[in-house]
Amino acid sequence: ELTVKFTATRPEGSFDNVKYDLTEARVLLTDKTKYVSFNNSGGYISSLSKKISIKENQLGQEITQKVTLESGKKYYMRVMVQTKNPSKACNYTEVQEIVVP
């Protein structure tokens, strides 16, 4: 079992003087490519990459997500947070390689 811990914060900036609200966060995992992305079709395994709800009072606090991975495989993982912004852009962590013995 993989335990992923991350901290989500609101990005700097605004649109029409409105703070960006977080709309979605996910721990993205794939066993196919190191270019794992939410917007890349087939770029993540949807059954492992569950949506994480983040409430306003959780911003800046550590969030934990557990994922069960298959043994004997190599995965690539990153965390994605999407904000309610005009371009629906996502913010990503660096990609991490995970080898499950």
Side-chain angles (χ1 to χ4, degrees):
E1 185 172 74
L2 173 68
T3 300
V4 179
K5 296 180 181 184
F6 66 96
T7 302
T9 58
R10 185 183 319 286
E12 292 183 20
S14 64
F15 180 69
D16 291 337
N17 297 318
V18 176
K19 290 182 180 176
Y20 292 150
D21 292 326
L22 300 180
T23 58
E24 186 170 341
R26 290 180 186 257
V27 174
L28 300 175
L29 287 145
T30 184
D31 57 358
K32 294 178 176 47
T33 176
K34 66 180 179 179
Y35 303 104
V36 58
S37 168
F38 183 62
N39 296 320
N40 178 5
S41 178
Y44 66 98
I45 302 169
S46 60
S47 62
L48 294 178
S49 305
K50 305 284 186 215
K51 181 178 179 179
I52 302 165
S53 296
I54 300 175
K55 296 180 178 45
E56 190 72 22
N57 64 353
Q58 291 176 292
L59 291 175
Q61 296 182 14
E62 187 173 81
I63 297 167
T64 302
Q65 180 73 32
K66 294 184 184 268
V67 182
T68 302
L69 301 177
E70 192 176 324
S71 61
K73 291 184 89 170
K74 177 168 51 173
Y75 294 89
Y76 298 95
M77 184 272 313
R78 71 189 327 183
V79 176
M80 176 279 299
V81 176
Q82 186 177 42
T83 60
K84 187 177 186 179
N85 63 71
S87 65
K88 298 188 180 191
C90 300
N91 294 316
Y92 295 95
T93 61
E94 294 293 321
V95 175
Q96 301 293 315
E97 182 178 296
I98 300 162
V99 178
V100 183

